[in-house]
Amino acid sequence: MPLDNGQNKQQANPGKVLLIGVTGGTGANVVKGFFEQGVNNLRAITRKIDLSRPSLLKMSNAGVELVEANLDDEDSLSPAFADISAVYCHATTTDAAKPDPREVERAKRIAQVAKQAKIKHFVYNSAGGADRKSGISHIEQKYKVEQILKSTGLPTTMLRACLFMEEFWKQYTRPSILKGVFPFSIQPDKPIHLVTTKDIGRVAAYVIKNPSEYIGQHIELAGDVLTPQQMW
């Protein structure tokens, strides 16, 4: 899917876009991707507007409207969706060793509020292979969320992203990698599909600017294919 700055064709003005799950480590890069595609009329949900958090301060300084809402409280969500045309949902729970059941419950809540707000386009960051019965619990749960969103009748686009490149530079992976140890159970010569979270943001923004082409689509995303040996 080629990305451009709207020079080759007429693109829709997406209006105000609500971002969900972008206040963590990978979410900040997603926001950068939106800005790179010229989508800057953004509102982001956070439990608490605390500008002592670097990620929130950077977003606020960049012009992102911050709004307090709790994904476990439907009443708090409704005001966040006011005057919103499109939604990008990056995540509803943090990364963990096991899938968090709240991911599904929060998706149900978000889907209902989005339907009531008559959202024109809902873009969800799912997982590569979500529809292929992988047997991997995290991916299977992402597929459940896809089905929840679609069952409400929302106009959706599913971005099925593969492994984030940023996973190799997180607190729980970086120390081992710096010591020359690859902390994943993957053969050294096995190719891995990878994507950066900034590219996910760029694609999400592009999709939102071109709804007629991408509503109803399921898009697998990868930016590179490398083996652990090649990455090293």
Side-chain angles (χ1 to χ4, degrees), residues 1 29 37 47 52 71 75 142 172 204 214 223:
M1 181 173 63
N29 286 330
Q37 281 294 304
R47 281 178 177 267
S52 67
L71 299 183
D75 290 339
K142 293 286 186 185
Y172 55 84
Y214 296 109

Side-chain angles (χ1 to χ4, degrees), residues 1-23:
M1 181 173 63
L3 300 181
D4 59 39
N5 296 316
Q7 299 169 334
N8 299 325
K9 62 180 178 179
Q10 188 68 35
Q11 296 178 321
N13 180 350
K16 200 169 195 73
V17 179
L18 179 66
L19 307 177
I20 300 173
V22 300
T23 59

Side-chain angles (χ1 to χ4, degrees), residues 4 10 26 29 38 64 68 87 95 122 134 142 154 192 204:
D4 59 39
Q10 188 68 35
T26 61
N29 286 330
V64 178
E68 291 186 357
V87 174
D95 291 337
F122 195 110
S134 66
K142 293 286 186 185
L154 285 169
I192 307 171

Side-chain angles (χ1 to χ4, degrees), residues 183-200:
F184 287 84
S185 299
I186 300 171
Q187 298 92 327
D189 59 348
K190 184 175 180 61
I192 307 171
H193 289 75
L194 304 161
V195 68
T196 68
T197 48
K198 185 168 75 169
D199 281 347
I200 294 172

Side-chain angles (χ1 to χ4, degrees), residues 169 174 176-182 188 226-232:
W169 209 245
R174 180 170 52 198
S176 295
I177 289 175
L178 289 175
K179 293 177 182 177
V181 179
F182 195 72
L226 298 169
T227 67
Q229 288 176 330
Q230 290 171 324
M231 284 186 275
W232 179 251

